[in-house]
């Protein structure tokens, strides 16, 4: 990473207030906007955010990550996993579908001609 990560402990309530809300919605229920607090946390911990980047932020696409590949050279594990999946699927019942009824109950589709 370029530069040091700056973490400022604490933070005042209302430091990330919500601007305007939709007319008639009333006041926002929180004294902060969750997305802005999340961006501030990412910037403080990692030195960058993906949206609303600042010129002094670290370029997230310039951070090199190590990649790992897990391999099953014999194919035995994949074959065993597929066999277990087929075995479990044979024991399963067919899928059931339900629809809410006007009285609040749920009825299985196909159980009654009215629910089809």
């Amino acid at each position: 990473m370029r530069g040091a990560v700056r973490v400022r402990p604490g933070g005042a309530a209302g430091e990330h207030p919500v601007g305007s809300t939709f007319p008639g919605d009333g006041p926002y229920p929180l004294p902060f906007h969750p997305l802005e607090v999340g961006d501030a946390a990412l910037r403080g911990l990692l030195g960058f955010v993906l949206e609303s980047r600042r010129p002094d932020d670290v370029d997230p696409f310039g951070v090199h990550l190590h990649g790992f590949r897990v391999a099953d050279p014999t194919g035995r594990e994949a074959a065993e996993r597929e066999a277990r999946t087929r075995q479990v699927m044979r024991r399963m019942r067919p899928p059931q579908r339900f629809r809410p009824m006007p009285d609040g109950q749920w009825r299985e589709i196909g159980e009654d001609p009215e629910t089809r």
Side-chain angles (χ1 to χ4, degrees):
M1 284 177 32
R2 280 184 320 196
V5 174
R6 296 171 302 282
V7 177
R8 191 170 61 87
E15 185 175 332
H16 300 279
V18 176
S20 62
T21 58
F22 292 107
D25 278 354
Y28 194 74
L30 300 172
F32 58 88
H33 194 287
L35 294 176
E36 290 181 17
V37 171
D39 279 351
L42 284 173
R43 183 173 279 118
L45 294 170
L46 304 177
F48 67 87
V49 295
L50 294 177
E51 296 179 7
S52 63
R53 289 180 45 205
R54 295 181 186 159
D56 63 334
D57 282 348
V58 172
D59 177 13
F61 301 103
V63 176
H64 297 282
L65 301 176
H66 292 284
F68 299 92
R69 179 173 295 163
V70 178
D72 177 15
T74 64
R76 189 186 92 232
E77 292 176 15
E80 289 172 357
R81 192 170 40 252
E82 288 172 17
R84 279 195 308 268
T85 301
R86 283 193 300 273
Q87 187 179 36
V88 167
M89 289 179 70
R90 280 194 297 269
R91 291 188 304 226
M92 293 172 64
R93 294 179 15 187
Q96 295 174 289
R97 298 182 307 154
F98 292 85
R99 173 172 289 142
M101 303 309 293
D103 62 359
Q105 295 185 357
W106 288 82
R107 184 165 297 145
E108 187 173 359
I109 295 175
E111 188 178 286
D112 183 358
E114 293 178 16
T115 63
R116 290 186 186 181

